[in-house]
Amino acid sequence: MLHFIYRDTLVDDYELDASSSMGSIFDTLAAKLLAAADKYDLGRLRLLCESYLCKGISVASVASTLALADSHHAMELKAVCLKFAAENLSAVIRTDGFDYLKDNCPSLQSEILRTVAGCEEPCSSGGKSQSVWGQLSDGGDTSGRRVRPRI
């Protein structure tokens, strides 16, 4: 963190990469810097860490990276993780990271499912992924036009 404060840059990529081979995403230097950026409200450091972590997202790491992003208010990283997890859901479900989400962050699992369903916020009957029956019963048709009921 001091390197960033004095030089306004992240440490060299080989230092960040060396810590990435350790195992858990939470133990990497980028994750620790992200935590420090969140704690001390260093917006630029947060963006640099998010950018670096976005490059390393894979099926095996996306769930734990999502949990990391959520716990440290990294909204850009969280959005990228949600999109990646939604696009690769069948493979992500089989990972240990997804089991971690199930046990520790069930709200993030719900967010993944909302992303798959196309709902950015909790869906209701007025949401953009409303069923055909819901659209027709509200006086619309399936193309989104309003239909005047016949008398």
Side-chain angles (χ1 to χ4, degrees):
M1 185 173 80
L2 288 176
H3 178 90
F4 171 78
I5 290 173
Y6 286 117
R7 297 185 181 179
D8 196 38
T9 62
L10 280 179
V11 294
D12 296 329
D13 280 345
Y14 69 87
E15 289 182 52
L16 287 170
D17 291 339
S19 71
S20 297
S21 62
M22 293 186 332
S24 171
I25 187 76
F26 296 100
D27 295 330
T28 64
L29 180 57
K32 291 176 181 178
L33 287 172
L34 181 64
D38 183 41
K39 182 176 182 176
Y40 298 110
D41 197 26
L42 301 171
R44 180 163 157 65
L45 179 58
R46 179 195 324 265
L47 289 175
L48 290 171
C49 291
E50 286 184 67
S51 175
Y52 177 81
L53 290 167
C54 280
K55 295 175 190 172
I57 292 175
S58 66
V59 169
S61 70
V62 69
S64 53
T65 305
L66 177 60
L68 176 75
D70 186 59
S71 66
H72 295 299
H73 310 99
M75 294 303 145
E76 296 297 322
L77 179 59
K78 184 177 178 180
V80 170
C81 287
L82 285 171
K83 184 177 181 203
F84 184 91
E87 291 171 353
N88 300 285
L89 188 59
S90 62
V92 171
I93 286 175
R94 295 185 202 106
T95 64
D96 292 336
F98 196 78
D99 291 336
Y100 175 84
L101 289 182
K102 181 173 54 176
D103 296 337
N104 300 300
C105 312
S107 64
L108 290 177
Q109 281 190 323
S110 298
E111 286 189 57
I112 291 172
L113 294 176
R114 282 195 301 271
T115 303
V116 169
C119 300
E120 282 73 32
E121 55 204 40
C123 285
S124 64
S125 62
K128 72 178 186 181
S129 62
Q130 189 177 18
S131 70
V132 172
W133 174 250
Q135 290 174 17
L136 293 173
S137 65
D138 284 347
D141 70 0
T142 57
S143 64
R145 297 177 300 181
R146 300 296 292 171
V147 178
R148 210 173 65 192
R150 289 188 174 170
I151 299 178

